[in-house]
Amino acid sequence: MTKNHEAIAILGGTGDQGLGLALRFAQAGRPVVIGSRKPERAEAAAKEVLAAVPDADVRGVGNPEATEQAEIVILSVPFEHSASTVKGIREQLAPGTILVSMAVPLAAAIGDGAMRTLGIWQGSCAEMLATLVPEGVEVVSAFQNVSAHRLQHLQEEVECDVIVSGKKAPRERIMGLCPLIPGLRAVNGGPLANARIVEEMTALLIGLNIRYKTPEGLGIRLTGLPEGD
Ligand SMILES: NC(=O)c1ccc[n+]([C@@H]2O[C@H](COP(=O)([O-])OP(=O)(O)OC[C@H]3O[C@@H](n4cnc5c(N)ncnc54)[C@H](OP(=O)(O)O)[C@@H]3O)[C@@H](O)[C@H]2O)c1
């Protein structure tokens, strides 16, 4: 199947974060393919996007089919299901595909708290996924610090910096997605290994959201970056 250069597939786009990204990218005019383990759940999520963004180019299909249809595939499932989900779509991950890692290895995955992370052998969720994808597929880390609640509120800006890490060419392509969402700014986060730091920041943000009673989710902003970067 030929991939649509502009399309963005969101696996697990039926959940809070994936649906938020689907709404925003659809609003920006990009074709969006929502993936799910159950195609009917993906179709229902696509209908939700259409209700909010009537001219959206959006459809809902199974995760493997969604992967086949896009060059950019965002993995939006909880950390503990990331490896198994990627193993389930390996055959559809054609060379040239960019897999975006957004999950955070929160200790909640093993019944501990969401304000702490687990140690991952490879260093981070993103680096773990990089060991699982076929040759020619690049993993880029992004969007971990963006609040699902803010993404879903289309009438408001999201106001958050997105630290994007990975190899130069795929990293720049994912950085290019950030300005499609009002308020998001892409920050060049260098090599994929820096995903370790970015993933840890989400655990900190979750704690801050609890202490400051901000269920809508805090964002992060770096100061002093040169204009236009
Ligand atoms: N929520 C936030 O504010 C936020 C912020 C930043 C980053 N993130 C990250 O974004 C990702 C998605 O977060 P979320 O809050 O949207 O998660 P979620 O709602 O708990 O789950 C997202 C989707 O994952 C799929 N899923 C659930 N169990 C699964 C399993 N056993 N195997 C495969 N897929 C499974 C489900 O899709 P189907 O049932 O349709 O297959 C579900 O709708 C996570 O990695 C999270 O760390 C979230």
Side-chain angles (χ1 to χ4, degrees):
M1 179 176 292
T2 336
K3 288 179 186 268
N4 180 332
H5 185 71
E6 287 282 295
I8 301 168
I10 306 175
L11 311 186
T14 51
D16 281 346
Q17 183 78 348
L19 186 65
L21 288 174
L23 285 162
R24 292 289 183 164
F25 290 134
Q27 189 183 45
R30 292 291 286 259
V32 171
V33 190
I34 294 177
S36 168
R37 290 168 295 171
K38 292 209 164 18
E40 61 275 18
R41 275 172 54 79
E43 283 165 27
K47 277 192 191 142
E48 241 183 279
V49 173
L50 270 174
V53 185
D55 60 348
D57 177 354
V58 61
R59 73 204 101 117
V61 294
N63 282 333
E65 204 182 334
T67 306
E68 273 177 343
Q69 294 181 17
E71 287 179 7
I72 295 174
V73 177
I74 300 176
L75 188 61
S76 188
V77 305
F79 164 74
E80 57 271 35
H81 306 304
S82 297
S84 58
T85 302
V86 169
K87 286 177 186 170
I89 53 152
R90 244 184 142 262
E91 277 182 26
Q92 288 76 30
L93 279 171
T97 307
I98 301 172
L99 180 72
V100 178
S101 176
M102 182 169 61
V104 175
L106 297 174
I110 56 164
D112 191 19
M115 291 178 274
R116 297 177 278 281
T117 57
L118 299 169
I120 303 300
W121 186 269
Q122 296 86 346
S124 62
C125 174
E127 291 164 280
M128 178 189 78
L129 296 182
T131 67
L132 298 176
V133 296
E135 216 176 310
V137 174
E138 297 295 347
V139 174
V140 169
S141 149
F143 302 118
Q144 295 95 334
N145 305 146
V146 182
S147 145
H149 183 278
R150 291 197 187 275
L151 283 172
Q152 291 192 19
H153 280 72
L154 290 183
Q155 60 289 357
E156 282 165 33
E157 295 204 353
V158 180
E159 219 201 320
C160 189
D161 280 351
V162 179
I163 302 174
V164 186
S165 308
K167 286 190 189 151
K168 188 171 188 288
R171 178 181 71 221
E172 285 177 350
R173 188 131 176 237
I174 300 309
M175 286 177 73
L177 297 183
C178 297
L180 296 176
I181 301 178
L184 286 195
R185 179 177 63 167
V187 176
N188 178 349
L192 196 63
N194 284 334
R196 302 165 192 201
I197 304 166
V198 179
E199 291 176 10
E200 299 275 336
M201 284 163 69
T202 298
L204 177 68
L205 283 172
I206 291 171
L208 290 170
N209 286 335
I210 293 167
R211 286 192 288 282
Y212 283 88
K213 299 186 175 50
T214 47
E216 62 280 8
L218 298 175
I220 57 162
R221 271 281 187 244
L222 298 168
T223 59
L225 281 178
E227 287 277 322
D229 264 23

